[in-house]
Amino acid sequence: MFLTKSPNKKHKSLNLLGAIRISNSSFFVFKNNEGHISLKSGKEEHVQRAAVQNMIDLNPYVTKLLHSYRIKPSIDTKTLKELAGGHMNETCNVAIGIYSELCESLKINIDKEIIKEASMLHDLGKVLIPSKILNKPAKLNAKEREIMNIHSTLGYELLKTQNIKEETLDLVKYHHQNLKHSGYPRLVEGHTPSDIGVQIISTADKYSALREARVYRRKLSKIESLLILYKEVLEGKIHKDIFKALVEYARKFDA
């Protein structure tokens, strides 16, 4: 995913320029302090660690936030590798599919490239969530859920040290929000990210997660997954046109 270590074994300054799609695969774009640009897919764990550590070093609030939950900063590169090659990549597939099926009146409210980038980066913060919580084969207790829920804020705080657009950062931070604004983290008063953008990423994230096998449950079918999300439409949490676009995507492309 990221650049290599320098010969003297000290980390280079690694700056994230964004994320792109090539032949349905996700790649992260990085530039080192010598100006060299590289695309990485997520398999080189030793350089993943260097890149994430650089982001932590650039933003002391990340460590402060972790300490407030009594979490020792630890970079889980195995999780990041799995996310980059699996869930984040698949969420991007679904998000692009939803965007493509939207009516034009909704498409004009959000940039497709922002959707691509945010969906590829949305779960980066999970690299700092303890694996015993992230991979717990049972329902999380209240404290564990509270810790799990900070992953979107962690992702935002890591990425805002990099050359990432504000619109992308908003979608990363609020990808667990909904139309009723009852998700997390709580919206800052006076700040309203794109509801359509958040809805696309949030719905794609949920659908992708439901269609994957997890340590605590089996992979759900297309129909089962859509029925669960339809309940959120009825509750006013998911925009009906976003759901309609998801159904069309699933009908055409999710075998």
Side-chain angles (χ1 to χ4, degrees), residues 128-223:
L128 298 178
I129 300 297
S131 59
K132 66 180 181 180
I133 293 177
L134 199 61
N135 301 311
K136 183 178 179 180
K139 185 176 180 179
L140 301 179
N141 61 38
K143 184 62 178 179
E144 291 168 336
R145 173 53 58 187
E146 187 179 358
I147 291 173
M148 177 69 86
N149 287 357
I150 68 171
H151 78 270
S152 52
T153 299
L154 286 170
Y156 167 81
E157 294 294 339
L158 289 170
L159 290 168
K160 80 175 189 179
T161 67
Q162 309 298 297
N163 188 33
I164 304 297
K165 294 178 181 178
E166 192 64 37
E167 296 96 323
T168 300
L169 293 175
D170 269 350
L171 298 187
V172 169
K173 185 173 184 178
Y174 295 112
H175 73 270
H176 280 287
Q177 265 298 348
N178 56 58
L179 281 183
K180 299 184 78 171
H181 294 170
S182 59
Y184 63 87
R186 182 178 298 179
L187 288 168
V188 176
E189 186 175 353
H191 179 65
T192 305
S194 164
D195 269 337
I196 295 302
V198 170
Q199 280 282 293
I200 292 173
I201 304 299
S202 173
T203 304
D205 179 36
K206 291 174 182 176
Y207 184 75
S208 174
L210 291 169
R211 295 286 283 131
E212 297 166 2
R214 295 294 173 92
V215 291
Y216 51 87
R217 64 155 172 80
R218 63 176 175 81
K219 171 183 176 179
L220 300 185
S221 71
K222 176 167 59 178
I223 297 301

Side-chain angles (χ1 to χ4, degrees), residues 19-20 110-118 120 165 168:
I20 63 171
I110 189 69
D111 188 322
K112 183 178 181 180
E113 295 307 310
I114 296 295
I115 292 297
K116 286 182 181 179
E117 190 165 72
M120 284 187 273
K165 294 178 181 178
T168 300

